[in-house]
Amino acid sequence: MSEQTADQIWTEIEARERRTVAELFAGDDARVDKLSARIDWGEGDTAGGVLFDWSKTHLDDDLLDRFESLARVRDFTAKRAALLNGETVNVTEGRAAEHTAQRGTGADASVEEAAALRDRMRLLVVAIHDGALGEVKHLIHVGIGGSALGPALAIDALTRDLARVDVHIVSNIDGVALEQAFAACDPKTTMLAVASKTFTTIETMTNAASVMRWLEEGGVADPSGRVVALTASPEKAVEWGVDETRVLPFQESVGGRYSIWSSIGFPVAVGAGWDEFEAMLAGAQAVDRHFAETEGRDNLPLRAAFADRYYTRGRKCQTRAVFAYDERLALFPDYLQQLEMESNGKRVTADGKPVDGPTAPITWGGVGTDAQHAVFQLLHQGTHVVPVDFIASIAPGDALDPAHHRILLTNCFAQGAALMKGDKGEDPARNFPGDRPSATILCDDLDAATLGALIAFHEHRTFASAVLMGINPFDQFGVELGKRMAKEIEGGKNDFDASTMALLQAAGLSE
Ligand code: F6P
């Protein structure tokens, strides 16, 4: 029989008789085994792993068969190989997407180059920790988007107990953000990291210049001696005044939102320590191995993408929520927003044709249990069906009475069960429809390797979704128009629409 087209597969998926998740459990004793699996890594002290449980979604054998067909039609295996071999997968910008090369999987030359650049970074990090650059108590890291979200997440997740150096990640052009960092730092013991792939981003360059002035006004004799640049445009960093020895380059083929593994991870290595940074890479590498070597539904990022596509296109869910039942992952939804929405919030395919269905859902979320007391009302009883991911760690992050962690985990699991089960209630106001899907990502512990694994899992899940949609997840032209118009306003252009002109006048920015 000849292979169906993507359209035919979707028509059949949409026409399928729907069964509730509870019915799917009742009809298949092996459901948990089929739809939950672990990725493990390391041995002894470095051993760790994560359980990915997708059994409370509507995926069943039939749907998995159909999505495996879709993956075949979309050439998933060849596209995955192209990604992992460093071929030109970012077709609109004519380059590879070599984030996995940073952690050891890719074209030999790229892996080697990444390792050499990482070694250069290690020497600088060790020198800072050894005091070779004078006393360094604080690091102000300025960057935005992919040059800030990964470092902010990792610093928040890994250095709450103990930081080798106190790191402040500043992204916003709003000076309030930078002033807050200044208030917490002493210029005499502060270093500046300027993180920008392009080394042209207005927010970052403006913030960097303000930090330089603050160092100077704070009595630092040679402010430029305190600057490190993290960039794929080393020549621009040197032009800006950073000494070549403190420019830590990364490859052009590493996308901004995929760059935590490169020198953009410098603040993580400075704040959490070199070994932690390496552990993060090792956790990601374990997921890369799984992603590269596992086929079809057993490939966990691909399986997650099957569910994501099913809900977004098959059930018209416009959003997907992520709740970390772990304070240390408070910034994970922010990180995922850029990863997923900047990658897959597109309306044309890689070859420029209109897409054949909705693309990335809106990613949002928060921290459990806080979110239960704020937004879960809508998840349980609202008119929108929102697929939810729960993320938790079996090992606690605190040393308090074990009741804290027990209550945290029981609430996490209860929410997934309640969303699925529902409750008839005494009256309509107390009725819970149930059959609301969720997935649970349960980590053995939340250490650096696990954080790396979680991020890599989501990178591959995002890529797999893009392949199923036929889009290029590695460009982001959608951010350009607004930037361009802001520049035009700065340049004095004043023929915008009446509303914009009135706002500019009200703020005193135009005559
Ligand atoms: O505006 C979007 C964007 O290009 C992101 O993709 C990127 O992570 C961010 O800006 C920052 O860019 P850069 O690292 O070049 O300063």
Side-chain angles (χ1 to χ4, degrees):
M1 211 177 80
S2 66
E3 190 83 91
Q4 290 179 303
T5 64
D7 276 350
Q8 286 166 336
I9 294 169
W10 272 112
T11 305
E12 288 189 6
I13 289 175
E14 281 157 11
R16 261 171 36 113
E17 193 192 327
R18 288 187 184 176
R19 292 206 286 157
T20 65
V21 181
E23 285 166 351
L24 295 173
F25 270 108
D28 188 353
D29 287 346
R31 186 166 172 79
V32 175
D33 283 345
K34 283 182 185 168
L35 285 165
S36 62
R38 289 176 59 88
I39 298 178
D40 290 294
W41 57 81
E43 282 171 6
D45 282 357
T46 65
V50 180
L51 173 75
F52 297 87
D53 177 9
W54 255 247
S55 64
K56 291 196 195 75
T57 68
H58 292 86
L59 291 180
D60 60 10
D61 293 338
D62 172 69
L63 208 43
L64 289 163
D65 286 343
R66 293 176 195 277
F67 275 109
E68 284 182 348
S69 301
L70 182 65
R72 270 195 303 279
V73 170
R74 297 293 200 200
D75 233 356
F76 173 76
T77 305
K79 295 223 163 95
R80 174 183 59 183
L83 172 78
L84 299 177
N85 292 334
E87 290 166 33
T88 303
V89 288
N90 180 357
V91 287
T92 49
E93 295 182 300
R95 57 180 178 242
E98 297 194 286
H99 42 287
T100 62
Q102 312 303 303
R103 48 215 196 208
T105 303
D108 291 345
S110 301
V111 171
E112 264 170 45
E113 190 188 352
L117 292 171
R118 191 163 59 251
D119 209 44
R120 189 182 148 111
M121 168 158 116
R122 183 181 60 78
L123 294 175
L124 185 58
V125 171
V126 170
I128 291 169
H129 287 155
D130 287 352
L133 277 78
E135 194 183 13
V136 178
K137 282 191 175 162
H138 314 278
L139 174 71
I140 297 181
H141 170 104
V142 299
I144 198 163
S147 296
L149 289 160
L153 164 65
I155 288 292
D156 195 42
L158 303 178
T159 68
R160 285 183 181 225
D161 292 351
L162 183 67
R164 305 261 328 232
V165 169
D166 166 46
V167 178
H168 297 262
I169 312 283
V170 179
S171 52
N172 202 346
I173 185 67
D174 185 341
V176 172
L178 198 49
E179 277 181 351
Q180 201 179 334
F182 290 161
C185 300
D186 172 359
K188 300 232 165 53
T189 54
T190 299
M191 280 194 75
L192 165 65
V194 186
S196 176
K197 181 174 176 185
T198 54
F199 229 76
T200 56
T201 304
I202 184 83
E203 292 92 333
T204 302
M205 302 323 296
T206 308
N207 278 331
S210 293
V211 178
M212 295 298 275
R213 271 194 302 278
W214 174 78
L215 289 173
E216 203 175 343
E217 286 160 11
V220 175
D222 174 22
S224 48
R226 311 291 282 173
V227 190
V228 176
L230 321 171
T231 185
S233 308
E235 67 299 331
K236 289 213 181 76
V238 172
E239 224 171 88
W240 191 80
V242 186
D243 190 274
E244 222 169 330
T245 57
R246 288 187 311 280
V247 175
L248 298 176
F250 64 94
Q251 293 140 300
E252 185 65 40
S253 55
V254 178
R257 54 194 172 277
Y258 300 86
S259 62
I260 178 74
W261 323 102
S262 71
S263 63
I264 294 293
F266 172 78
V268 185
V270 171
W274 185 259
D275 291 348
E276 295 287 281
F277 181 67
E278 288 272 15
M280 206 174 79
L281 266 57
Q285 200 177 43
V287 175
D288 292 342
R289 270 196 304 273
H290 167 89
F291 185 64
E293 293 166 5
T294 315
E295 299 310 324
R297 69 194 66 189
D298 295 330
N299 185 311
L300 298 177
L302 180 62
R303 180 189 292 177
F306 288 167
D308 293 342
R309 294 315 307 143
Y310 177 63
Y311 289 117
T312 306
R313 180 162 172 175
R315 297 248 176 155
K316 315 271 179 281
C317 300
Q318 294 195 343
T319 82
R320 182 174 91 74
V322 180
F323 296 101
Y325 275 64
D326 196 307
E327 267 308 295
R328 295 165 294 178
L329 290 178
L331 297 179
F332 202 56
D334 290 10
Y335 180 82
L336 287 184
Q337 282 188 325
Q338 187 201 20
L339 176 64
E340 300 183 356
M341 293 163 71
E342 196 166 82
S343 296
N344 286 347
K346 310 277 168 69
R347 57 204 300 280
V348 293
T349 58
D351 50 6
K353 309 236 167 58
V355 291
D356 57 5
T359 57
I362 293 151
T363 308
W364 63 285
V367 184
T369 59
D370 294 11
Q372 288 177 202
H373 302 273
V375 297
F376 275 40
Q377 163 65 40
L378 179 149
L379 298 181
H380 286 284
Q381 289 189 313
T383 51
H384 301 273
V385 172
V386 181
V388 174
D389 279 7
F390 294 103
I391 308 179
S393 163
I394 298 172
D398 66 281
L400 300 183
D401 183 333
H404 284 271
H405 199 62
R406 195 181 58 244
I407 297 169
L408 181 71
L409 287 186
T410 49
N411 269 275
C412 175
F413 303 149
Q415 288 298 328
L419 284 166
M420 180 182 125
K421 185 167 186 275
D423 186 36
K424 210 164 131 283
E426 294 150 26
D427 56 48
R430 290 173 178 77
N431 172 266
F432 294 72
D435 197 36
R436 304 222 155 173
S438 68
T440 304
I441 299 176
L442 185 60
C443 312
D444 290 351
D445 194 2
L446 184 64
D447 53 13
T450 307
L451 181 66
L454 286 176
I455 297 175
F457 171 82
H458 285 88
E459 287 176 349
H460 293 317
R461 175 183 187 170
T462 303
F463 172 76
S465 261
V467 171
L468 295 175
M469 294 184 282
I471 68 177
N472 171 13
F474 299 116
D475 63 14
Q476 59 284 316
F477 295 111
V479 302
E480 295 304 327
L481 177 60
K483 275 194 212 172
R484 199 159 72 222
M485 288 177 67
K487 262 197 204 146
E488 287 171 0
I489 295 175
E490 277 279 308
K493 190 165 179 230
N494 64 359
D495 59 352
F496 296 97
D497 61 87
S499 159
T500 305
M501 286 315 300
L503 290 168
L504 287 168
Q505 279 153 12
L509 296 172
S510 175
E511 301 279 291

